[in-house]
Amino acid sequence: VIDYGTLNVTDISGEQSVQIKNTGNANINVSVDGYGQLDGDGAAMNCSGGTSIALSYERYAVFSNANFSINMTQLTDTALPNGITNLTIVETDDDNQNSTNLTYWRIQVPLGVDAGPCNGTIIFSAVSFE
């Protein structure tokens, strides 16, 4: 769950980190695919007032404190075949340890979004590159 908290129209959320864990025996990357209610709907979130937040307003980065407008990548409704650029979660050689990496997320509430709770889905999928 990525909880952006309570935001007003035009607000940009604080940064939320998502830890990704590799328990396998191969290096992986991760691809993300987002949607509001149904995959392919063009929304990052659907809101209770009947409006939605477009995918372009939910963004991620592979480093902390990225500038929302300049350094963050817009969420898409199509999983990236090669995964997120510059993100690798290395294989683990020890069955008692896991390898992890982080992604950093923010969302902006655009003009025209009605007040009320908003919910969406992000699918994280492992991508092998070996």
Side-chain angles (χ1 to χ4, degrees), residues 26-32 79-84 87 89 124-130:
N27 293 343
I28 61 168
N29 193 320
V30 172
S31 187
V32 291
L80 304 169
N82 296 318
I84 297 172
L87 178 70
I89 302 101
F124 290 79
S125 302
V127 177
S128 176
F129 53 87
E130 293 185 347

Side-chain angles (χ1 to χ4, degrees), residues 3 6 9 16 19 21 23 32 35 37 44 47 61 64 66 68 76-77 87 90 92 110 115 121 128:
D3 185 351
T6 301
V9 173
Q16 303 297 313
Q19 183 180 64
K21 186 184 302 187
T23 60
V32 291
Y35 59 91
Q37 188 169 10
C47 303
S64 183
F68 183 83
T76 62
D77 66 359
L87 178 70
V90 297
T92 181
T121 299
S128 176

Side-chain angles (χ1 to χ4, degrees), residues 6-89:
T6 301
L7 302 171
N8 294 314
V9 173
T10 72
D11 283 354
I12 297 174
S13 72
E15 179 178 274
Q16 303 297 313
S17 63
V18 174
Q19 183 180 64
I20 302 164
K21 186 184 302 187
N22 182 357
T23 60
N25 61 356
N27 293 343
I28 61 168
N29 193 320
V30 172
S31 187
V32 291
D33 173 18
Y35 59 91
Q37 188 169 10
L38 299 170
D39 199 5
D41 64 10
M45 294 196 177
N46 280 338
C47 303
S48 63
T51 57
S52 63
I53 298 174
L55 286 163
S56 61
Y57 290 94
E58 189 166 19
R59 301 180 183 187
Y60 60 89
V62 296
F63 57 91
S64 183
N65 297 316
N67 180 288
F68 183 83
S69 299
I70 299 170
N71 304 112
M72 298 191 83
T73 302
Q74 296 177 7
L75 184 61
T76 62
D77 66 359
T78 304
L80 304 169
N82 296 318
I84 297 172
T85 302
N86 297 322
L87 178 70
T88 300
I89 302 101

Side-chain angles (χ1 to χ4, degrees), residues 69-114:
S69 299
I70 299 170
N71 304 112
M72 298 191 83
T73 302
Q74 296 177 7
L75 184 61
T76 62
D77 66 359
T78 304
L80 304 169
N82 296 318
I84 297 172
T85 302
N86 297 322
L87 178 70
T88 300
I89 302 101
V90 297
E91 68 179 294
T92 181
D93 295 329
D94 183 344
D95 289 340
N96 296 316
Q97 294 185 353
N98 298 313
S99 177
T100 61
N101 209 329
L102 295 171
T103 56
Y104 302 91
W105 294 80
R106 292 178 189 249
I107 197 164
Q108 182 176 29
V109 180
L111 291 172
V113 172
D114 293 336

